[in-house]
Amino acid sequence: MAETTEFKSPRVACVGAGNIGRSWAIAYAMGGAQVRLFDISEAALSRAWTFIDAAADDFVAAGLLARKELLRERIHGATSLTSALDGVQHVQESVSDDPAVKRRVFVELDALTAPSITIGSSSGELPVSKFTEGLPGASRCLLVHPVNPPHILRAVEICPTPWTQEWAVTACRTLVMSLGMVPIDLKREINGYVINRLQYALIGEALHLVGEGYCEPKDIDAAIKHGLGLRWAFLGPFETSHLNATRGYHEYMLTDEAGARRLMADIRADYRWDHALIERIHEYLIATMKSDDIVRHQQRRDRTLLSLMQHLREQAPLLDGQPTKNVRGAQ
């Protein structure tokens, strides 16, 4: 089936207006798309508009948006799923990571859209095949999963199901690249995909170190904020390892291969944490970031990320010597 993969001022439907869905809406709008944002919850949509307006202020302050009103002009609330899907070229699903819920939503999306429309899921853990198998339009369904928040961070996982056709993968890849985002191309499905598997491997060992009394939660955060995370802001783990040895990656991994293997075998990514440990870490976190003030801290996080992205755009990346593309600018 030959399908177009060119997206010029695309029309996109974002289904689900939670943390990810509303951020996706901004990302698509900043890339020039006309966006329909739909949620069955009016409260979720109300919170989304507050979030969108705050993000618009931040983008204007950062010089990435000519005027605040542009986001509102490009993002439109939809009163029904049918109206949200009318005339769009791509659908971005961001509902609960519950396979039964996703199945119901995808049945509707498949029935209400033409076969040429791609349907991407923001699923963070579930293989898309788990809730699209047997759908008449399953060949156009696939994973399009961002790093939170997608309106600022650039990485997007793209993964086909066993029955996704290549044209759909190419179309979604072209679309996210038109937004200035960087695709992470998976060849086949795996639970959690790339981003969350890497993230939870670190979280598991962090819980192990705190749970078994080797250090406190603050020390884990300090190790990342003031150590590893600074390198990871512009280098991946393989690139970091390559530069940690005089002769590169081969030397880094093989000089003490036995020691490296022992350490990897000792790491407890599968640590069996209990609820008491989670409560202990939660108490540490709410001492400085109250649970009822999360939105304000998210906004502070996003402004800090914007500043970091601005800085990285101005630098030549260490490895390729080319200026980094930043968050999408809109005029």
Side-chain angles (χ1 to χ4, degrees):
M1 181 178 182
E3 299 291 338
T4 179
T5 58
E6 292 298 321
F7 289 93
K8 296 180 179 178
S9 299
R11 296 181 299 279
V12 174
C14 290
V15 178
N19 285 334
I20 298 297
R22 66 195 185 190
S23 186
W24 258 131
I26 298 169
Y28 283 120
M30 289 292 289
Q34 290 294 319
V35 181
R36 306 257 181 77
L37 180 60
F38 172 77
D39 199 292
I40 59 173
S41 166
E42 291 186 8
L45 281 171
S46 178
R47 290 191 297 270
W49 290 123
T50 300
F51 181 87
I52 289 166
D53 287 339
D57 287 334
D58 291 342
F59 280 130
V60 170
L64 298 171
L65 191 65
R67 51 190 178 84
K68 175 179 179 176
E69 295 75 20
L70 271 176
L71 285 189
R72 284 280 192 151
E73 292 170 7
R74 293 178 184 174
I75 303 173
H76 311 277
T79 57
S80 70
L81 186 58
T82 301
S83 62
L85 300 175
D86 184 36
V88 302
Q89 296 159 291
H90 175 73
V91 182
Q92 186 68 46
E93 168 272 317
S94 303
V95 302
S96 170
D97 255 8
D98 179 320
V101 173
K102 286 191 181 292
R103 177 69 180 188
R104 288 196 299 270
V105 170
F106 266 77
V107 167
E108 287 192 83
L109 296 178
D110 188 38
L112 293 172
T113 55
S116 61
I117 296 170
T118 50
I119 307 176
S121 175
S122 299
S123 175
E125 190 269 333
L126 295 170
V128 177
S129 60
K130 295 293 186 184
F131 48 85
T132 62
E133 184 173 7
L135 291 180
S139 63
R140 60 203 174 101
C141 301
L142 68 164
L143 180 85
V144 184
H145 173 250
V147 180
N148 190 22
H151 69 285
I152 297 176
L153 299 178
R154 301 167 59 218
V156 182
E157 295 175 305
I158 297 179
C159 182
T161 70
W163 40 80
T164 306
Q165 293 189 1
E166 185 59 34
W167 71 263
V169 176
T170 301
C172 287
R173 197 174 191 278
T174 300
L175 175 60
V176 300
M177 289 180 69
S178 76
L179 306 178
M181 303 181 90
V182 178
I184 300 170
D185 300 311
L186 280 84
K187 302 182 189 317
R188 63 183 187 275
E189 291 182 314
I190 184 171
N191 288 342
Y193 303 99
V194 171
I195 291 168
N196 274 331
R197 289 182 76 90
L198 292 174
Q199 180 171 236
Y200 275 95
L202 189 149
I203 289 172
E205 176 60 12
L207 289 168
H208 167 234
L209 292 171
V210 174
E212 295 303 310
Y214 293 102
C215 63
E216 293 297 318
K218 67 177 180 62
D219 302 302
I220 297 293
D221 280 343
I224 302 302
K225 287 195 300 184
H226 304 297
L228 295 175
L230 295 178
R231 294 190 304 205
W232 290 343
F234 62 96
L235 290 172
F238 291 136
E239 294 168 333
T240 297
S241 298
H242 186 60
L243 297 182
N244 277 350
T246 304
R247 294 181 177 84
Y249 188 69
H250 186 275
E251 177 185 327
Y252 180 80
M253 291 301 297
L254 300 183
T255 297
D256 185 16
E257 181 177 359
R261 291 186 183 276
R262 282 194 303 271
L263 180 56
M264 289 180 184
D266 193 48
I267 289 170
R268 294 292 306 279
D270 60 347
Y271 182 66
R272 302 293 295 178
W273 43 269
D274 58 24
H275 290 188
L277 176 58
I278 300 306
E279 184 63 28
R280 176 183 163 196
I281 295 173
H282 181 74
E283 290 299 319
Y284 147 71
L285 291 168
I286 64 173
T288 55
M289 294 185 288
K290 302 294 185 185
S291 295
D292 58 1
D293 202 19
I294 289 293
V295 171
R296 184 174 66 85
H297 290 291
Q298 288 175 333
Q299 292 170 344
R300 185 184 67 175
R301 173 202 65 189
D302 293 351
R303 287 192 292 269
T304 303
L305 284 171
L306 273 174
S307 297
L308 177 60
M309 295 292 287
Q310 288 287 82
H311 172 72
L312 292 176
R313 183 181 65 171
E314 296 166 359
Q315 305 302 310
L318 195 56
L319 297 180
D320 61 18
Q322 297 298 318
T324 309
K325 290 179 70 176
N326 192 24
V327 177
R328 287 71 56 199
Q331 301 302 317

